Amino acid sequence: MKKINYSILALLGLVMVFTGCNDSGKKSSNGALSSNNAEKVYVAPGEQDEFYAFMSGGYSGNLTVYGLPSGRMFKEIPVFSQFPTSGYGYSEETKPMLNTSFGFVPWDDSHHPDISQTNGELDGRWIFINGNNTPRIARISLKTFETEEIIELPNSAGNHSSSFITENTEYVVAGTRFSVPVPQRDMPINEYKGNFKGALSFVSVDPEDGRLDLKFQIMMPGFNYDLSHPGRGKSHGWFFFTTYNTEEANSLLEVNASQNDKDFIAAINWKKIEEYVNNGGGTKMPANYAHNVYDEGTHTATSTMKKEVLTVDPTKVPGAVYFLPTPKSPHGCDVDPSGNYIIGNGKLSADLTVHSFDRMLAAIEGKKFDGEAYGIPILKFEDVLAGTVKSGGLGPLHTEFDGKGNAYTTFFISSEVVKWKLGTWEVIDRKPTYYSVGHLMIPGGNSAKPFGKYVVAMNKITKDRYLPTGPELEHSAQLYDITGDKMELIYDFPTHGEPHYAAGIPAEILAPKSQKIYKLAENKHPMATLGVNDARVERKGNEVHVYMAMIRSHFTPDNIEGIKVGDKVYFHITNHEQDFDVPHGFAMIGANNSELLIMPGQTKSLVWEPKEVGVWPFYCTDFCSALHQEMQGYVRVSPANSNIDLSWSLGE
């Protein structure tokens, strides 16, 4: 049996090699972009893009912002990783954002962004994204484009089916990819089966300020929970998760987790579980996880360690959880805008399985079960099946919708996007990608109201698309026009990190609300220097605190003396500009953290520990005026036993 499985895997590997490398036919048939297609992506000087596209950064741990159709990258938003460009994770104010139960963790693997919704439609308040490695959920303000909150998820590992939201942003939901012992303990790995658990975390979102709270965790059987999407419309109140490794194998999963003909989509009635919890149900268990919040008024983050979590045994809530059999090792789990069709993409199946929510409810009502798994009913496959898309592709992964009755699915092995019709299941069109596409994104394609103008394909292998840059290449995104009956590949552009998923939204929703400055009068930072008369330097033992103001084109103060070797010098710097797009930077020679980039009206702090005597310069790192080069100062460092008094000056 093992020899047969290895042969199948080898054959699939050869298919991937040939589809990824033997591209000459594709390239010659596609050719250069026509002038018509070039016009579709051209954004003239002074004009702006129609859509924002937010792409996960994968192993960069961050989120990148692109314009569509231009493919221009506008910003990298630091989320889970230190970011020396702005000082995020280095400044004293933002270090707490990267605190976890494992200590300070300055990176992660970010996969799936999702934009907040009201009544199933994008509202553009926040965007959420997951940390896959150290299980975390982040909330980013789409007013400031800054990370405002990160909450860690206990009892979880491989936070992959995340961060997807319910249609009124009641919850951000996260499933564990790697089931683990709950609570964690020392036990033999080969006793995995029946002993490990998969936690599905429901994190509530305050409708006013977006504040996150881990409301409850459902303790599911020890499968791998891969991806998820919420119900909407008629299926509001449900959430759907793909599973694989229902075999509960713990070694050589590429073979041992592919034995079953079908795995499951887990259908979770979160409304029913919410009611159970609100009525006192569930069990509180000890936990240790960080909740980090950035306060816009004080420009400062705080980290709080939480000590317990409410867990729910699904077998204690009858009618709350069901399994829908789905071939085979399903990856993507997608719900159409109506909320009736749940698409399961089996990685090892050439066909797409479409389940019907209506038929699922009827099967539950008629108790049409095909056994159970750990006390959870398994519905009969034929009783919940709406239809099958006979695609002819290889390696289906993800599906999005255009709001016009069409669905679009990526095929990793055969490197293509396939367009098909909801309800009839007929394939309408297919177009190649270059190469090995993973996720795709239609702006609003994960909502009740998609904006069906473009598809963005996020490809895993770039090869010959751009100038070579050594062994490592940026990943390729490709833009398709989907306004006609046939898809048109009109552009490709490089992306930073390894984008997995993306979220798109019309610019007209976000741009008018984008913050331009922080009002100096509203700066509540405890170390802010709101006027030049407040600038000062104070010593507290071996700590020295410099309260500094900056404005084009000088620092106040700009000469500081009386610092000693062994001191810990805190620069608390306030940018006095009140003009849009005039940040200032601050860098100190010998600082072993990073520079700071400080927005108008904002305060940030940097720590410097001088190791040598001398006169050491600091300067502005962001070109701000014709006299930018003159924006500098000096710190005199004396021996540790020096009796030189602390002094500072400007213009003396």
Side-chain angles (χ1 to χ4, degrees), residues 223 241-244 246 262-266 323-326 330 373 378:
F223 309 149
F241 296 79
T242 48
T243 73
Y244 68 100
T246 53
K262 292 182 178 67
D263 292 286
F264 301 127
I265 286 178
F323 285 136
L324 283 59
T326 305
I378 301 171

Side-chain angles (χ1 to χ4, degrees), residues 276-445:
Y276 171 76
V277 166
N278 289 342
N279 288 327
T283 303
K284 289 185 178 180
M285 65 175 291
N288 189 36
Y289 62 101
H291 186 192
N292 310 326
V293 179
Y294 181 83
D295 185 286
E296 190 177 299
T298 63
H299 305 166
T300 301
T302 55
S303 180
T304 304
M305 296 305 299
K306 299 295 189 73
K307 295 301 181 184
E308 67 178 14
V309 63
L310 184 67
T311 62
V312 174
D313 178 349
T315 63
K316 300 290 180 62
V317 192
V321 182
Y322 298 92
F323 285 136
L324 283 59
T326 305
K328 179 177 184 186
S329 296
H331 181 55
C333 180
D334 303 285
V335 180
D336 84 304
S338 75
N340 188 41
Y341 296 125
I342 304 109
I343 292 90
N345 297 335
K347 300 189 297 289
L348 302 181
S349 171
D351 301 329
L352 306 182
T353 300
V354 184
H355 296 301
S356 164
F357 180 73
D358 288 339
R359 298 197 70 189
M360 183 190 87
L361 291 185
I364 292 170
E365 181 71 21
K367 300 187 183 302
K368 296 180 178 180
F369 302 141
D370 192 14
E372 62 176 37
Y374 294 101
I376 296 171
I378 301 171
L379 299 173
K380 289 184 177 180
F381 177 71
E382 59 274 13
D383 288 329
V384 297
L385 184 68
T388 301
V389 181
K390 300 290 185 180
S391 65
L394 292 173
L397 293 184
H398 302 284
T399 302
E400 293 248 315
F401 310 91
D402 64 7
K404 305 168 189 174
N406 302 309
Y408 301 75
T409 300
T410 55
F411 288 78
F412 178 80
I413 296 174
S414 52
S415 290
E416 59 185 335
V417 176
V418 173
K419 176 181 179 180
W420 51 277
K421 191 74 174 174
L422 288 162
T424 68
W425 324 125
E426 63 178 318
V427 171
I428 299 169
D429 191 23
R430 60 197 325 131
K431 285 290 185 292
T433 62
Y434 305 94
Y435 307 92
S436 298
V437 60
H439 275 280
L440 77 167
M441 181 273 284
I442 294 172

